[in-house]
Amino acid sequence: MSAPAYVSVHGGHSGQFCNHATDSLEEIIQTYIQKNFRWVGITEHAPASSAELRYRDEKEAGLTPDSLFQRFGRYVKECRRLQQKYREEITLFTAIEIETYSGYEQFVPHLVDTFSPDYLVGSVHFVNDMNFDHSAEMYQRAAEAAGGIDLLYQSYFDIQYEMISLLRPAVVGHFDLIRIFDTDYRRRLEKPSIWSRVRRNLELVKKHDLILDFNLRALAKGAEEPYITRSILELVKEYGIRIAPGDDSHGVSSVGNFMQQGIAILQDAGFTTDWPKPAGPY
């Protein structure tokens, strides 16, 4: 029996087009090829729709919504060029990792119309227009604004549900990212007000036959397990939801990190390694 193929449904952030990544996009793609990846979704972050909703590193760099939009256009153009250049060596997708802050319901369709991506990764990094995953301090501020960590979780999964309902992204990114700075996440997820939302959201993912990103970047940041945590992963298997690994690489040094470990977890949980390829109506 041949070894499972290396793929990434969510990867390829580069320093060329993302302030918290490193290296050029071509260098990253060359590394995927060197590591024998069969296919990779290059899923650069969507540009901020307003000055207030920029990432901290974008603000510090003095980037504006217009300059971010223009840079994203260069990303799409470069990724399309590299798709063709390396088409005999690897299958690449030019995708967008979207955001869910105020106005995304109109802004994301505008991005789709403008750039015609191969697919969308539906991620949630903002609750109440506050970015929560950049640092523990920002996470705490977001929790305080939400009325506590339990309510932060509830709001996160409510936003995620709305996003899936409206946009039906081919891939749902790091499903339980909201636990990033919560050391008590296993117990918290068991609370009925939170677990019922997890179930509800997974049922919607199943209804629309979307793919979940088994995101390995959590391991690179010192977490004990990837996103998705084991308790949710068991429910994913029960529902028969499709899943594929995502290295969420942010530079050459993180391409393919923890891939063997991630695949082993999925195999142990009973998932097939005949990885589903994402496809969008775009």
Side-chain angles (χ1 to χ4, degrees), residues 254-273:
S254 58
V255 167
N257 284 358
F258 303 101
M259 190 61 59
Q260 287 187 336
Q261 184 176 341
I263 291 173
I265 293 170
L266 291 174
Q267 288 178 308
D268 182 63
F271 288 93
T272 178
T273 57

Side-chain angles (χ1 to χ4, degrees), residues 12-33:
H13 299 292
S14 70
Q16 193 173 354
F17 303 110
C18 173
N19 287 72
H20 56 271
T22 58
D23 307 310
S24 73
L25 183 55
E26 185 159 12
E27 289 170 330
I28 289 168
I29 289 170
Q30 289 170 343
T31 306
Y32 278 119
I33 293 169

Side-chain angles (χ1 to χ4, degrees), residues 117-186:
D118 294 327
Y119 67 88
L120 301 179
V121 174
S123 295
V124 179
H125 300 98
F126 289 77
V127 173
N128 298 320
D129 284 349
M130 299 179 70
N131 177 229
F132 63 81
D133 71 319
H134 185 82
S135 68
E137 292 74 21
M138 293 176 72
Y139 186 90
Q140 184 60 36
R141 285 199 292 271
E144 291 171 358
I149 295 182
D150 284 9
L151 290 174
L152 180 68
Y153 271 68
Q154 292 176 35
S155 295
Y156 172 89
F157 285 115
D158 287 346
I159 292 167
Q160 186 182 69
Y161 182 85
E162 178 191 73
M163 177 270 294
I164 295 170
S165 300
L166 290 172
L167 300 175
R168 301 183 188 180
V171 175
V172 178
H174 36 59
F175 181 85
D176 54 348
L177 179 67
I178 193 59
R179 65 178 170 87
I180 185 168
F181 293 111
D182 179 17
T183 57
D184 198 26
Y185 70 87
R186 290 186 177 91

Side-chain angles (χ1 to χ4, degrees), residues 64-82:
T64 66
D66 182 64
S67 64
L68 288 167
F69 194 87
Q70 296 301 319
R71 183 176 73 173
F72 193 82
R74 294 193 296 274
Y75 151 70
V76 172
K77 183 178 180 180
E78 175 67 355
C79 198
R80 292 296 188 197
R81 182 184 74 84
L82 296 171

Side-chain angles (χ1 to χ4, degrees), residues 45-46 55 97-101 104 108 123-126 163:
H45 292 284
Y55 284 125
E97 183 179 11
I98 64 171
E99 302 292 358
T100 53
Y101 35 53
Y104 81 93
V108 173
S123 295
V124 179
H125 300 98
F126 289 77
M163 177 270 294

